[in-house]
Amino acid sequence: MSHELFLAFSKLPPAETATLVIYVAQDGAPEGEAKAVWEKTGQDFAKIAKSVGFTGKPGHMIDLVAPSGLACERLIVLGRGKDGALDKPSAWADRGGSLMAKLEATHARAVAVILDEPGLDPRRVAELAAGARLRRYRFDKYRTSRPENGPEQMSVTFCLKDVAGLDVAVADRMAVVEGTLMARTLVNEPANVLGPVEFAGIANRLSDIGVTVEILTPDDMADRGMGALLAVAQGSERPARLVVMQWHGAGRDDAPLAFIGKGVVFDTGGVSIKPAANMEEMKGDMGGAAAVTGLMKTLALRKAKVNAVGVIGLVENMADGRSYRPGDIVTAMSGKTIEIVNTDAEGRLVLADALWYTQDRFRPRLMIDLATLTGAALVALGHDNAALFCEDDAITNALLAAGHETGEGLWRMPFGPGYEKLIESRFADIKNSGGRKAGSITAAHFLRHFANGVPWAHIDIAGTAFGASPSETNTSWATGYGVAVLDRFIRDHHER
Ligand code: BES
Ligand code: MN
Ligand code: ZN
């Protein structure tokens, strides 16, 4: 495997350390352990800092090659910014990502990072390590020749005085990282490799870590009357799947939390075909399903004390002789009839049956769906916030807080009777598109018909699942958005 990373924690740097890293506060000089290290070089810190313009801002670096007085090959001094700049947990992850970027740029292999500063608790160290791991992620399995982008293997030892409680905190945070990386890889995979059946096969492997997985075939779905999901799937050679994942981490009779994901492995738009420009990005139209699957992995890995179900609707939206068409009227599992006015508004049809099935079967205390549902969400909020639709203020505030903590941002959007009017149909109970106006909102209104009154939140991740410019913790196209924020929400509000 390429780009491996081995992380360790100890009081002292290992003997074979080639790259030693110390931190310096903004407008400061090395202190404590960092000072002891620097003094061995016999160099004038202020003079060197001035000559390279180092002020200790995050991202600033002094790179001392073959330092005299030290056994290592390289001493890297990194800026850690002002005190208080690291109050948000996600700021620590960013710092870990920024560290990894420097280590890769300098081709570091055996690294020790001296951490000796106020306010360092296990959770922050875990964030730092998580950020480093997230930044290290590459999706380059399809390149037969690799561009030069850092060493193949790297070990990083974080050195701190007090390592008590670290193993637990780090393992816990790494469970979330694993879920995020799983989601990224699922989104990055091309649709010729990852169809509904292949995706279901990957989800099925979560049974190895204690998740109960069931897979429904088109016949199973037809038996249950899932006419909306199946209408989308009917134009594809590749059969649909509905995957049900259950994690039991709490008492038997605790109603579960339910997470529902849109899993359109490729969205051509169907007969209402999309323009050619950027259509390749529609391999990521299963970002909601990827996040739900990654989340189930996280919950199982960290043995979360919660009951959770993940339901993902996996289909391909193709233009073909068997495709559904504009004007068709289909009947959802709920019994509602839907007039198809645009076959490119397919995600809500998949979710309609997935939501109904979920509330009908599990009676969850809460349902949250994630979907790359509307281009309008991307237009409204760009890549920095997902659109959150939820009529319950307590759930909304909890989700917004989790977004703030993790850096996976959310922004609340409205419901209202005027929007509902836009999806009234001339022939059926509702139609599947309200047209150009308020596209994300009318999509949410459509979904609301299928939540059946169960407390429910809808998160439109069309802008956040992929395509963001590189960040401190991610340089890959897919972001894995959703795993961290939902994990945080569960921890803070639904675990005892
Ligand atoms: N998968 C798309 C939405 C999308 C667009 C996600 C760009 C990510 C990036 C969705 O199925 C779609 O096509 N939505 C239409 C709805 C319209 C036909 C009512 C849209 O947003 O234009
Ligand atoms: Mn579409
Ligand atoms: Zn779509």
Side-chain angles (χ1 to χ4, degrees):
M1 219 190 91
S2 72
H3 293 96
E4 283 184 289
L5 176 61
F6 305 94
L7 293 172
F9 303 87
S10 75
K11 295 195 180 191
L12 295 170
E16 63 277 17
T17 298
T19 297
L20 194 57
V21 179
I22 59 175
Y23 280 98
V24 171
Q26 190 158 332
D27 302 320
E31 290 167 42
E33 287 296 315
K35 185 175 181 206
V37 168
W38 182 270
E39 282 179 347
K40 285 186 193 162
T41 68
Q43 303 269 12
D44 181 341
F45 178 79
K47 191 174 165 195
I48 291 184
K50 190 160 182 260
S51 67
V52 297
F54 178 98
T55 66
K57 276 194 184 144
H60 279 196
M61 168 166 83
I62 297 172
D63 181 10
L64 227 56
V65 181
S68 56
L70 290 171
C72 59
E73 295 163 11
R74 214 158 186 159
L75 175 63
I76 292 179
V77 185
L78 296 178
R80 71 169 148 91
K82 293 192 182 116
D83 292 338
L86 290 163
D87 288 346
K88 260 209 314 193
S90 65
W92 286 81
D94 286 346
R95 182 177 166 189
S98 168
L99 165 68
M100 180 52 64
K102 300 291 192 210
L103 295 177
E104 291 193 319
T106 56
H107 276 261
R109 287 163 184 285
V111 184
V113 182
I114 309 289
L115 295 176
D116 171 28
E117 59 195 78
L120 204 64
D121 61 40
R123 195 172 146 191
R124 289 178 163 181
V125 178
E127 283 296 328
L128 194 65
R133 179 74 190 87
L134 288 165
R135 178 62 178 252
R136 184 99 172 114
Y137 173 82
R138 296 281 187 298
F139 184 77
D140 56 10
K141 61 193 274 200
Y142 296 104
R143 289 187 195 281
T144 59
S145 67
R146 293 215 165 79
E148 196 52 43
N149 56 11
E152 290 285 299
Q153 298 194 332
M154 190 192 293
S155 72
V156 179
T157 303
F158 292 96
C159 307
L160 4 58
K161 286 199 192 78
D162 186 7
V163 291
L166 258 184
D167 283 354
V168 176
V170 171
D172 203 62
R173 183 62 179 86
M174 286 302 163
V176 188
V177 169
E178 288 307 316
T180 299
L181 297 184
M182 179 185 204
R184 280 188 195 170
T185 295
L186 285 165
V187 170
N188 279 324
E189 280 288 359
N192 60 326
V193 172
L194 192 78
V197 172
E198 291 78 13
F199 193 136
I202 291 171
N204 197 31
R205 297 213 292 265
L206 294 182
S207 58
D208 294 347
I209 54 171
V211 178
T212 307
V213 185
E214 293 159 76
I215 300 174
L216 275 63
T217 64
D219 283 345
D220 300 328
M221 290 186 260
D223 289 346
R224 288 164 178 79
M226 297 188 181
L229 184 153
L230 288 172
V232 178
Q234 77 191 33
S236 173
E237 291 287 329
R238 301 193 283 178
R241 293 288 185 265
L242 188 91
V243 181
V244 181
M245 297 166 273
Q246 296 183 62
W247 169 252
H248 297 285
R252 269 262 145 235
D253 35 50
D254 259 27
L257 303 176
F259 302 93
I260 298 95
K262 169 180 172 180
V264 177
V265 298
F266 193 79
D267 182 11
T268 64
V271 168
S272 314
I273 199 159
K274 287 183 180 294
N278 307 118
M279 205 207 277
E280 70 279 7
E281 299 209 323
M282 286 299 108
K283 72 172 183 176
D285 208 16
M286 26 54 70
V292 168
T293 308
L295 177 66
M296 295 307 291
K297 178 171 189 174
T298 292
L299 296 178
L301 284 178
R302 68 175 184 80
K303 305 214 177 340
K305 291 185 178 58
V306 68
N307 291 341
V309 298
V311 176
I312 55 175
L314 301 168
V315 302
E316 181 174 45
N317 188 21
M318 289 297 261
D320 177 80
R322 273 194 279 272
S323 293
Y324 75 141
R325 17 175 137 47
D328 285 3
I329 296 174
V330 301
T331 304
M333 184 184 175
S334 74
K336 269 211 172 106
T337 56
I338 304 165
E339 181 193 4
I340 308 302
V341 297
N342 190 323
T343 63
D344 198 12
E346 84 297 339
R348 64 199 72 182
L349 298 169
V350 173
L351 289 173
D353 284 338
L355 283 166
W356 189 267
Y357 173 84
T358 301
Q359 60 79 31
D360 179 57
R361 174 168 169 195
F362 294 105
R363 306 255 155 242
R365 66 178 65 212
L366 159 67
M367 296 198 288
I368 301 180
D369 77 75
L370 289 107
T372 50
L373 203 63
T374 65
L378 172 63
V379 171
L381 298 171
H383 296 295
D384 295 333
N385 285 287
L388 170 64
F389 294 87
C390 182
E391 291 178 290
D392 181 306
D393 290 343
I395 296 169
T396 298
N397 290 333
L399 284 167
L400 292 175
H404 186 72
E405 285 250 306
T406 55
E408 292 190 344
L410 293 163
W411 194 258
R412 191 182 197 177
M413 302 282 277
F415 290 90
Y419 303 114
E420 188 64 35
K421 280 223 156 302
L422 297 174
I423 54 168
E424 284 174 3
S425 164
R426 211 170 345 181
F427 301 103
D429 296 336
I430 45 173
K431 59 183 178 183
N432 78 328
S433 167
R436 284 180 57 251
K437 291 178 188 168
S440 301
I441 307 173
T442 53
H445 269 265
F446 181 94
L447 295 179
R448 188 167 63 159
H449 286 269
F450 303 92
N452 203 17
V454 170
W456 159 73
H458 158 57
I459 304 179
D460 192 332
I461 60 171
T464 55
F466 52 74
S469 44
S471 72
E472 293 291 17
T473 51
N474 185 32
T475 59
S476 140
W477 178 69
T479 61
Y481 179 98
V483 176
V485 62
L486 291 179
D487 176 78
R488 189 79 247 162
F489 168 78
I490 294 168
R491 277 170 197 270
D492 290 349
H493 298 279
H494 294 280
E495 284 185 67
R496 286 155 293 126

